[in-house]
Amino acid sequence: MDAADVEADLVNILYTEDEIRAKLGELAATIEADYAGKDILIVGILRGAVMVMADLARAFHRHVEMDWMAVSSYGSGTKSSGVVRILKDLDTDITNRHVIVVDEIIDTGLTLSWLVSNLASRNPASLEICTLLRKPEALSMDVDVKYVGWDIPNEFVVGYGLDYQERYRNLRDIGTLAPHVYS
Ligand code: IMP
Ligand code: MG
């Protein structure tokens, strides 16, 4: 789906498909340099990180392994509470592995900070986070996010895996959702 297909639902286009691809290329190059000589396992958080995983993985000029987790976070309304349940765990034993958790957006960071402590207890060789987008609130979280595509304002965005009520995930670009859609 192109932004033109849902033009009336978007306030703006924040990042185009081309800008996203270029940014993921930069992130992959940085990660490649940081992990020279080491095997990498990237772990995508379903379902939002599907597009990021697909394009980030293909931007590497080296081998990376891919695995997936699905978690549900309980919260009141639209805010997550940090109480998390694993719906699908890794298929991979991450003991002594170099693990990079890949997410599409970090808002409060509550889900991810729970996930990182869960994964850290499995004794990986290293554990880092890569996110395409980060909202301001995440800056106050106690978990270090090593790889960030863009810091964005505190607005609700959709596209490129990001949904509003399961829609817009298949939009090629990332845009700010117009308030009339959710009010
Ligand atoms: P948190 O970091 O624990 O608050 O939760 C982050 C999750 O909330 C993300 O993985 C998204 O599923 C969802 N989320 C947060 N902000 C947005 C947004 O602007 N658009 C779509 N989903 C969002
Ligand atoms: Mg989501």
Side-chain angles (χ1 to χ4, degrees):
M1 198 161 72
D2 306 314
D5 297 318
V6 285
E7 203 179 356
D9 296 355
L10 303 176
V11 174
N12 60 19
I13 298 172
L14 214 47
Y15 302 110
T16 64
E17 188 179 19
D18 288 347
E19 290 170 323
I20 296 166
R21 191 180 303 115
K23 177 61 76 175
L24 290 175
E26 290 169 22
L27 285 173
T30 305
I31 292 171
E32 269 190 41
D34 290 354
Y35 288 80
K38 297 171 180 167
D39 288 333
I40 300 176
L41 174 71
I42 55 175
V43 171
I45 309 304
L46 295 168
R47 287 169 277 186
V50 166
M51 313 296 179
V52 180
M53 280 285 278
D55 287 340
L56 179 69
R58 286 180 290 183
F60 284 104
H61 294 279
R62 52 159 292 173
H63 294 293
V64 291
E65 282 180 49
M66 301 167 76
D67 201 348
W68 301 90
M69 279 185 88
V71 296
S72 82
S73 64
Y74 295 107
S76 50
T78 55
K79 278 285 171 188
S80 64
S81 64
V83 181
V84 177
R85 191 162 58 104
I86 295 178
L87 303 177
K88 186 231 168 283
D89 207 338
L90 296 174
D91 295 324
T92 314
D93 177 3
I94 62 167
T95 311
N96 293 324
R97 299 295 310 269
H98 294 283
V99 178
I100 304 172
V101 175
V102 176
D103 216 343
E104 79 288 10
I105 191 166
I106 305 180
D107 182 6
T108 64
L110 283 169
T111 311
L112 215 53
S113 89
W114 181 92
L115 198 63
V116 161
S117 54
N118 178 288
L119 294 178
S121 72
R122 307 180 194 190
N123 301 312
S126 67
L127 181 60
E128 300 292 352
I129 299 170
C130 174
T131 185
L132 184 61
L133 305 176
R134 180 170 64 181
K135 287 189 178 179
E137 217 181 317
L139 294 170
S140 61
M141 73 188 261
D142 54 353
V143 176
D144 242 20
V145 183
K146 187 154 186 189
Y147 304 103
V148 179
W150 290 287
D151 280 299
I152 63 166
N154 197 17
E155 284 168 342
F156 199 84
V157 294
V158 294
Y160 201 69
L162 291 149
D163 72 300
Y164 172 66
Q165 296 187 342
E166 295 306 325
R167 302 176 95 177
Y168 306 98
R169 287 196 200 273
N170 62 321
L171 173 60
R172 294 175 185 278
D173 315 297
I174 295 174
T176 307
L177 195 62
H180 74 81
V181 178
Y182 51 87
S183 58

